[in-house]
Amino acid sequence: MHPHEVEFKIRNLSTVNNYRGAERILIELKNYSGPIDEDQLSRFCFAVITNEQVYNCYNCKGYLKIILNKYKDKIDESQYEEIEEIINK
């Protein structure tokens, strides 16, 4: 995946309407090894928090944990805590 595709994946994550689509996007973001800036991470967190397809999917929660740990230093603390609550539900 190219760096510019990350933005499209994040946008798609906020509008995906089924858990399989959310899971597929999270897998791609989990496997992405390039840079993700703080603005993109903020939009990613917002997409996760506002899309129930993401937080109602058991497998998605596992991928979220991996992504959170990978970018822990760059994610806003309040968003990080909110996503942790979603994961632990």
Side-chain angles (χ1 to χ4, degrees):
M1 180 167 46
H2 296 286
H4 69 277
E5 290 180 283
V6 171
E7 190 65 37
F8 295 115
K9 296 295 178 188
I10 292 170
R11 287 183 196 162
N12 290 343
L13 186 62
S14 64
T15 60
V16 70
N17 60 6
N18 62 56
Y19 74 92
R20 289 192 190 268
E23 187 176 13
R24 188 172 32 253
I25 292 169
L26 288 173
I27 289 170
E28 289 183 49
L29 291 172
K30 173 186 76 76
N31 293 333
Y32 178 66
S33 60
I36 296 181
D37 65 37
E38 291 177 4
D39 288 338
Q40 289 174 319
L41 285 170
S42 179
R43 288 190 292 278
F44 167 78
C45 291
F46 182 77
V48 168
I49 292 166
T50 58
N51 190 338
E52 69 182 44
Q53 297 303 323
V54 177
Y55 60 80
N56 285 334
C57 169
Y58 177 80
N59 290 338
C60 292
K61 290 180 180 184
Y63 301 131
L64 279 173
K65 282 183 184 181
I66 293 168
I67 294 168
L68 279 182
N69 288 332
K70 189 175 181 180
Y71 297 106
K72 188 175 188 172
D73 300 343
K74 292 185 175 182
I75 296 175
D76 179 69
E77 189 176 324
S78 62
Q79 287 181 320
Y80 185 88
E81 290 171 359
E82 196 166 352
I83 293 175
E84 271 194 325
E85 286 179 28
I86 288 170
I87 291 171
N88 295 325
K89 282 184 181 180

